[in-house]
Amino acid sequence: MALGKDYVTQECSIARALEVVGERWTLLIVRDALYGVRRYNDFLVHLGIPRAVLAARLQALTAEGILEKRRYQESPPRDEYVVTDRGLALWPTLRSLGVWGREHYTETRLRLFRHATCGTDRELGPYGECPDCGTVVPVPDVEMLPGPGLDPDPADPVSRALLSPKRLLQPIGTETVRQDPVWRHPV
């Protein structure tokens, strides 16, 4: 029996959410967008995702209002993908899923997330709450730092850019990727 593409028989908000973000790669694209990845080539290089799959997922995420496509260059035309408020609302889910994955599948901390504006040196809780000031930290105030489990010399330029501490949503700089003709894609 073929696996269906929706959950029409399910009267459940989780089932509806899975119709939008439950496909393989989708949450990783949203994760990368929250990390500051905005351009097609950067998603492609960092995720190792097939081009057709990436294009389809970006189109679906844009249609659902999770990402917004914005032109950053006219000649040749190039677009980037920016997280919308609907996409920002996925942060607590991604944060919790990451904590759950670390607790149950690896003890290695690949990335640390802290409250940038209060200056804590302690990591956020599983729902994005600051252990010092007690607030749920707004996404732009979350600082991401490399953890001890990250490869200190990754092969791709996106992973290298993510080795530096940065706030979520701040665009990453990976000019090397966009200049490499192997990764060119007119989006």
Side-chain angles (χ1 to χ4, degrees), residues 42-111:
D42 292 344
F43 285 112
L44 190 67
V45 120
H46 190 237
L47 294 171
I49 183 173
R51 288 177 185 273
V53 173
L54 177 59
R57 297 297 184 270
L58 289 171
Q59 183 177 18
L61 288 166
T62 302
E64 287 293 335
I66 294 168
L67 298 177
E68 179 182 311
K69 190 174 180 178
R70 290 188 191 160
R71 179 75 28 108
Y72 71 88
Q73 178 179 307
E74 289 300 329
S75 181
R78 301 241 190 257
D79 298 310
E80 62 184 7
Y81 297 87
V82 180
V83 181
T84 65
D85 288 342
R86 185 178 263 188
L88 290 176
L90 285 167
W91 166 245
T93 302
L94 288 168
R95 174 75 186 132
S96 294
L97 190 59
V99 170
W100 181 83
R102 184 175 65 212
E103 288 177 0
H104 295 282
Y105 294 101
T106 179
E107 293 179 16
T108 304
R109 291 180 180 237
L110 300 176
R111 300 194 189 287

Side-chain angles (χ1 to χ4, degrees), residues 166-179:
K166 67 178 288 301
R167 286 193 186 198
L168 294 184
L169 302 177
Q170 289 181 337
I172 60 167
T174 59
E175 295 307 315
T176 315
V177 176
R178 284 181 287 287
Q179 292 173 2

